[in-house]
Amino acid sequence: MMTVTIIGATGSLGRMTSQVLLEETDANLVLLSRRADSLKDHPRVKKMAASVYDQVALEEAVEEADLVFVALSGDLPSMVKEIIKAMKAKGRKRIVFISSYGIYGELPGQDGRVDPILESYRQATDILEGTDLEFTILRPGWFDNAQTRARQLIPKGEVIHGHSISRLALADLVKEMSLDTSKYVRGNLGIIRE
C-alpha cells in the first residue's frame, strides 16, 4: 500500500492534502508537524509531533514513504537540506515541494526581478534541483478556498499570467502524483487556476 509523508501537515495545504488523500485513495499517511497532535486520529494516519530539524524523527517520518510532500514556510533552505539528508539516509527518492510563483521573476511586470520575500523559496528550489532526488517543484499563486480542482501547469521559463489556485486543486495534483509517482518527475511547474 502507498505511503505518503506530509511535512507541514498542520498548515492549510497539509490539512487539505491529507483530507483528499484519506477520502480519495487508500494511502497510509505519515503527518509530521510540530503540532501534529492537534490533527484528528485516523486508522491510516501516523501522527508525528516533531520539528523538521529533529533528524531522528524526520528519518522515521520518511522511512516508508513512496512520496514525500513538503508544504512549509520559514527558513526553507535549511529545512530542505534536512529533508534531503533524511531522504538520502533512508533511500527515499520521490519528493513534491511547494515553492512560490515569482521566484524567477516570471510574473508580468517583474522583468526578472525577484522580491526579497521570495529569496528563500528560490534558494530552497535551487538546492532541491541540485540533487538526484525525483523532485517535483510546484510554484503556486495565491492559495484560496475555492471548491474547484481547475488548474494550469506552466513550465519553468514561461511567463505566468494569473494569480490564484485553490488548495483543493493543489491537493488533487499531489493525489495524482501519489497514485502515479512517475508523473512530473524533475518538473518545476507554476500552477494557477486561470
Side-chain angles (χ1 to χ4, degrees):
M1 186 176 297
M2 165 75 60
T3 297
V4 176
T5 296
I6 300 178
I7 300 174
T10 53
S12 63
L13 189 52
R15 287 176 186 270
M16 176 61 74
T17 303
S18 299
Q19 179 183 334
V20 167
L21 289 171
L22 287 173
E23 290 176 359
E24 300 177 18
T25 76
D26 62 358
N28 291 317
L29 304 184
V30 178
L31 305 180
L32 180 83
S33 171
R34 288 172 300 187
R35 297 179 311 280
D37 293 336
S38 69
L39 298 169
K40 292 180 183 175
D41 291 327
H42 190 282
R44 295 190 342 250
V45 167
K46 176 180 180 179
K47 298 186 293 185
M48 296 186 66
S51 163
V52 74
Y53 296 107
D54 180 340
Q55 194 62 207
V56 172
L58 192 55
E59 287 184 17
E60 182 183 340
V62 302
E63 189 167 18
E64 302 295 325
D66 297 290
L67 183 140
V68 176
F69 175 56
V70 181
L72 293 170
S73 61
D75 184 358
L76 293 175
S78 68
M79 291 176 178
V80 84
K81 286 177 185 174
E82 295 300 311
I83 294 164
I84 291 166
K85 185 166 65 172
M87 290 182 69
K88 287 184 177 284
K90 293 301 178 180
R92 300 289 109 189
K93 297 289 263 179
R94 189 69 175 100
I95 181 169
V96 177
F97 178 75
I98 296 291
S99 183
S100 176
Y101 76 165
I103 64 170
Y104 301 112
E106 74 277 26
L107 302 177
Q110 274 189 303
D111 300 319
R113 180 186 48 79
V114 178
D115 293 331
I117 197 167
L118 297 176
E119 288 174 4
S120 71
Y121 288 93
R122 172 66 185 267
Q123 291 165 3
T125 298
D126 290 347
I127 291 165
L128 194 51
E129 283 188 314
T131 70
D132 63 353
L133 295 179
E134 296 171 355
F135 62 79
T136 302
I137 294 159
L138 298 177
R139 295 178 288 114
W142 293 99
F143 302 163
D144 64 29
N145 292 318
Q147 293 301 299
T148 177
R149 296 175 191 230
R151 62 180 180 250
Q152 288 184 47
L153 300 177
I154 298 101
K156 180 180 177 181
E158 293 187 16
V159 175
I160 298 177
H161 298 278
H163 55 80
S164 298
I165 185 68
S166 72
R167 289 173 180 85
L168 180 59
L170 283 160
D172 187 61
L173 182 56
V174 174
K175 177 190 81 172
E176 283 185 25
M177 288 185 279
S178 71
L179 295 173
D180 179 358
T181 56
S182 68
K183 241 182 172 172
Y184 308 115
V185 168
R186 299 193 72 80
N188 184 329
L189 304 165
I191 179 168
I192 55 165
R193 179 166 53 247
E194 301 88 23

